[in-house]
């Protein structure tokens, strides 16, 4: 793993239809009456460029990307936003084509890195196209309402680009991918993220609100405590599925059993039978057994619900690892990619051990995915929360170094986090969150959980240091709240990645935790570290706010909490293993 860096562009002086963008941006921010007067005298297209590019970090790249829309006298702000995203699609596609020129396919590790980058950039193009379509299909009002959805996709695009770069081991090739092949793509994606983040302001620039009494938008679906009617967009089949009580299981489309008592003997076979005209969910029941398979639920296999007989009975296991030359991205025993994946009562393992270094048990790329009563067991890099919105409830997650990592918007709730004994000379870090752009909507929230050492580590817990996390990327964001933290955690709480890297730009926070490891008076004094004391500040990291859980968690059939609970005690936090 490594760290990225966002470079802020200051006062770029560019001619925008004969007017300096820097002056326009100054007018927008209200710095001086002359600038404001000058702004009101600009043409509509100049105002649009100023409004669209004002929030971005790479203004010259932004101007070039939206310039085509400026030639259309009737262009709306929406047209400029689409132009910015379309330009990003073009440069990412160009980067995808150029990837082959970087690597030597006769070198196995370079060949793997090339193939990973090509796949990741294909995902990036797909999500950029989804963002472009969402803007095109929306009027100005609904566009603001879809902002979280679009930001979710654009954040994933940044993660894909970073994953590509991180997978290149050779320094000179890594530098070429980062500073040449993906240079324009990363700048324009960052700009697109900045533009969509500022949609409300852009719209108001051209369509000022008539008054200030407009009611705030109400989220579709459920109230904060999860009660309420099903959302209108939920299909009849899913409504029926959700009405099943927690102890019952839906009728499966496919049954997997190693003893031949099901339709299939392997999980791969059941996934291969996924119907092309699927409506509703594809339910796979995996009977008890140890399944030595490498599984990917691909992007076309949406709404898969896979359940087993228990996380210690139905186990999917593998041992791919980085020490043997496999990229971290490919070490995963199980990869969930298709949107809406749900797993219940299943164990995911990577048995490579600490000596295997990076060895992923579960990689999750699936948007609106949920894991309920599952286990993820490994050592380094056990759970790869790669992209999109993810939810974990009543799970067990174990490991040693950076064992919960990635760049998703993930909430882990009411779960048991077990720190294991590492290799000699190693120290444990529970998290390594990978947010590399300050506007990404990603981060890791651990809420209402227990953090404890395994039995082998317990007698050595004061000798082998364990930390809550370290910053993998420049804007790493992790929040631990309403959890019980064991005494295995060092008083400093958090560990630097490399010197002072990211210490001022990260966001690490703790709120209302308990236990001997929750004392914060000896925590790090980094600028980016916070002890949250205001309940309202903590609410933004709850499942309802952070991953828009009110819109989709009811669809998963999993118990969940959308808000805060300050009633958690050790006796109230129950876990099933």
């Amino acid at each position: 793993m490594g760290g990225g860096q966002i470079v802020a562009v200051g006062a770029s002086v560019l001619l925008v239809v004969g007017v300096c963008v820097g002056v326009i941006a100054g007018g927008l921010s209200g710095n001086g009456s002359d600038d404001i007067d000058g702004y009101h005298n600009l043409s509509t297209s100049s105002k649009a460029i100023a409004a669209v590019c004002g929030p971005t970090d790479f203004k010259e790249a932004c101007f070039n990307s939206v310039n085509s829309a400026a030639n259309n006298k009737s262009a709306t702000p929406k047209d400029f936003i689409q132009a910015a995203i379309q330009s990003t699609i073009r440069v990412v596609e160009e980067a995808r084509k150029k990837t082959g020129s970087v690597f030597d396919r006769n070198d196995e590790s370079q060949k793997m890195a090339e193939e990973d980058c090509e796949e990741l950039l294909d995902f990036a193009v797909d999500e950029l196209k989804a963002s472009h379509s969402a803007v095109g299909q929306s009027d100005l009002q609904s566009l603001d309402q879809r902002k979280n959805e679009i930001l979710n996709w654009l954040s994933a695009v940044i993660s894909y680009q970073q994953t590509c770069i991180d997978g290149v081991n050779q320094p000179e090739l890594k530098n070429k991918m980062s500073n040449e092949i993906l240079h324009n793509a990363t700048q324009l994606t960052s700009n697109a993220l900045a533009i969509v983040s500022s949609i409300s302001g852009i719209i108001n620039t051209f369509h000022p609100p008539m008054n200030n009494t407009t009611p705030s938008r109400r989220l579709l679906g459920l109230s904060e405590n999860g009660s309420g009617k099903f959302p209108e967009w939920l299909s009849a089949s899913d409504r029926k599925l959700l009405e099943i009580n927690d102890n019952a299981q839906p009728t499966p489309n496919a049954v997997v059993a190693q003893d031949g008592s099901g339709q299939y003997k392997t999980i791969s076979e059941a996934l291969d039978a996924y119907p092309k005209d699927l409506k509703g969910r594809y339910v796979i029941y995996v009977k008890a057994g140890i399944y030595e398979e490498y599984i990917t639920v691909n992007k076309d296999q949406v709404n898969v619900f896979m359940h087993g007989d228990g996380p210690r009975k139905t186990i999917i296991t593998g041992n791919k690892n980085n020490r043997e030359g496999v990229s971290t991205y490919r070490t995963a025993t199980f990869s969930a990619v298709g949107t809406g994946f749900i797993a219940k009562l299943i164990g995911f393992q990577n048995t490579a051990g600490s000596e295997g270094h990076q060895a992923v048990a579960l990689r999750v790329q699936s948007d609106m995915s949920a894991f309920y009563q599952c286990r993820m067991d490994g050592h380094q890099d056990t759970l790869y929360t790669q992209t999109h919105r993810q939810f974990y409830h009543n799970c067990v997650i174990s490991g040693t170094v950076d064992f919960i990592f990635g760049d998703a918007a993930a909430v882990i709730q009411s779960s048991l986090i077990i720190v294991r004994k590492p290799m000699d000379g190693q120290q444990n870090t529970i998290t390594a969150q990978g947010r590399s752009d300050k506007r990404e909507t990603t981060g890791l929230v651990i809420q209402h959980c227990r953090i404890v050492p395994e039995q082998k580590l317990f007698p050595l817990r004061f000798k082998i240091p364990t930390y809550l996390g370290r910053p993998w990327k420049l804007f790493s964001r992790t929040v631990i709240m309403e959890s019980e933290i064991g005494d295995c955690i060092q008083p400093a709480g958090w560990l630097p990645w490399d010197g002072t890297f990211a210490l001022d730009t990260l966001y690490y926070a703790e709120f209302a935790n308990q236990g001997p490891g929750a004392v914060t008076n000896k925590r790090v004094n980094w600028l980016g570290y916070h002890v949250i004391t205001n309940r309202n500040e903590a609410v933004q990291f709850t499942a309802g706010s952070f991953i828009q859980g009110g819109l989709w968690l009811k669809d998963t059939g999993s118990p969940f909490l959308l808000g805060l609970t300050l009633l958690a005690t050790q006796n109230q936090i129950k876990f099933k293993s």
Side-chain angles (χ1 to χ4, degrees), residues 76-79 81 135 137-146 199-200 202-204 206-207:
T76 67
K78 196 174 81 168
D79 294 322
I81 297 170
V135 175
Q137 294 166 1
S138 307
D139 57 28
L140 291 179
Q141 182 178 2
S142 62
L143 181 60
D144 186 38
Q145 294 174 355
R146 295 191 71 178
I199 278 179
S200 298
I202 293 170
I203 292 173
N204 289 339
F206 294 90
H207 303 277

Side-chain angles (χ1 to χ4, degrees), residues 258 267 286 289-295 311 313-320 331-334 346-353 360-362 375 377-378:
Q258 291 176 329
I267 300 168
V286 186
I290 298 176
Y291 295 83
E292 296 182 10
E293 299 185 60
Y294 293 98
I295 305 296
K313 295 180 179 179
T314 299
I315 299 171
I316 305 170
T317 185
N319 60 6
K320 288 184 179 179
T331 62
T333 300
F334 192 102
I346 293 178
F348 305 92
Q349 291 183 352
N350 191 309
T351 60
V360 177
L362 173 66
R375 286 189 70 103
D377 291 311

Side-chain angles (χ1 to χ4, degrees), residues 65-66 78-92 127-135 150 154 188 192-193 195-196:
S65 69
V66 303
K78 196 174 81 168
D79 294 322
F80 283 89
I81 297 170
Q82 277 196 292
I85 297 175
Q86 184 60 51
S87 294
T88 310
I89 294 172
R90 177 180 54 79
V91 298
V92 173
E127 309 229 0
L128 285 166
K129 288 181 177 179
S131 302
H132 186 270
S133 295
V135 175
I150 300 169
L154 294 175
L188 288 185
L193 195 65
I195 290 166
V196 175

Side-chain angles (χ1 to χ4, degrees), residues 448-449 482-484 512 514 565-573:
H448 192 213
C449 293
E482 299 183 310
S483 294
E484 180 187 339
Q514 59 183 331
T565 172
L566 294 180
L567 302 177
T569 66
Q570 181 175 357
N571 294 329
Q572 291 172 314
I573 303 176

